[in-house]
Amino acid sequence: MSNLSHHPRAYVRPSPSSGTLGGLGSYTHDAVSLCEMAGYDLTIVETVGVGQSEVELAECVDMFLLLLAPGGGDELQGSKKGIVEVADVLVVNKADGEYEKVAKKTASEYKKAMGLLRKPVGWWGKKSSESDGCSKENGAIDCAPAAPPVLLISAKTGFGLEELWQTISKYREFTNSSGNVIEKRKKQNRYWMWKYLRERVLETAKNNPRVKSRADDIEKCLDEGLMAPRVAAGELWKSIVYQGDEKSE
């Protein structure tokens, strides 16, 4: 990252979470869209990497690349399970020196696990036979994998980086040519619209004086066992909607 930050054609910017859970800052999606509109061909979104909470990143990018450390095979049954299921490519780093054997073992474990995880047909934009439009090179049909590929790399020595870039380029080519990326972004835009709406409603409930006063009363009823949480939410929602009606008059 330090080398990339000094590259004249790269723009690197941290994005604080501002207390937002999910692995992404509240304005990360906006920042990614802005970079694309500014003419950047490639935008890399790096999260803190704590496991399940990064799943939301899949709603912000065209390709979800999961970077794994050696010796993390046991995490398949733990914190990494959910994020592995949404990943498009898995990459095991540190395949060098004393970690090389462990990295290879970790990659092997993930490959076995990915064999049980089947993505929908055409999830890379191509189907699984030459008649479906896959190219044929050197006697082998070049198609999308049935499951996310698992690659070995070393950021220290550069091992595997060329293969990783080829995989990224192939994924981009397949999804663009098939129109899959367009459909994916439509779903993502809808996801963010509804998320921003939820945030706006919650912000209103917390910051509007009249709604906040009503929320305090409702919370007291909750504490005393006079109201169920679902009923309380409905009462608070009525207060928010009423506030909107007042402004429109």
Side-chain angles (χ1 to χ4, degrees), residues 38-189:
Y40 287 91
D41 294 328
L42 177 65
T43 302
I44 301 174
V45 182
E46 181 184 14
T47 65
V48 293
V50 295
Q52 284 277 49
S53 64
E54 263 61 66
V55 172
E56 190 178 50
L57 179 61
E59 303 294 346
C60 190
V61 297
D62 296 334
M63 170 188 253
F64 192 118
L65 190 152
L66 179 59
L67 188 63
L68 302 161
D74 292 341
E75 292 176 339
L76 280 170
Q77 300 177 359
S79 63
K80 293 291 184 183
K81 183 178 179 181
I83 196 171
V84 164
E85 292 174 350
V86 301
D88 298 307
V89 177
L90 281 70
V91 178
V92 180
N93 191 20
K94 299 184 180 180
D96 56 72
E98 59 181 309
Y99 294 107
E100 185 175 359
K101 290 184 178 180
V102 181
K104 289 181 178 180
K105 181 180 178 182
T106 301
S108 177
E109 291 175 355
Y110 273 99
K111 285 179 180 179
K112 292 176 183 177
M114 292 302 98
L116 303 175
L117 178 62
R118 293 293 173 177
K119 294 280 191 176
V121 174
W123 68 289
W124 263 36
K126 296 272 188 171
K127 296 186 179 179
S128 56
S129 68
E130 187 176 5
S131 61
D132 290 323
C134 296
S135 60
K136 188 173 184 180
E137 298 179 2
N138 300 324
I141 299 176
D142 184 15
C143 298
V150 180
L151 307 177
L152 268 173
I153 70 163
S154 169
K156 181 179 180 180
T157 65
F159 167 76
L161 293 182
E162 183 177 351
E163 181 184 3
L164 172 58
W165 180 248
Q166 289 176 352
T167 301
I168 293 173
S169 300
K170 184 182 294 185
Y171 178 90
R172 185 177 185 181
E173 177 188 351
F174 282 6
T175 55
N176 284 336
S177 62
S178 67
N180 278 22
V181 70
I182 296 176
E183 294 302 316
K184 187 173 186 178
R185 290 191 179 189
K186 287 179 181 178
K187 294 178 180 178
Q188 289 175 342
N189 287 334

Side-chain angles (χ1 to χ4, degrees), residues 1-10 12:
M1 182 60 72
S2 60
N3 292 335
L4 182 62
S5 64
H6 289 89
H7 196 286
R9 297 179 61 188
V12 180

Side-chain angles (χ1 to χ4, degrees), residues 17-38:
S17 65
S18 300
T20 303
L21 297 177
L24 295 177
S26 57
Y27 289 95
T28 300
H29 179 259
D30 299 313
V32 170
S33 299
L34 183 62
C35 287
E36 184 175 26
M37 292 178 183

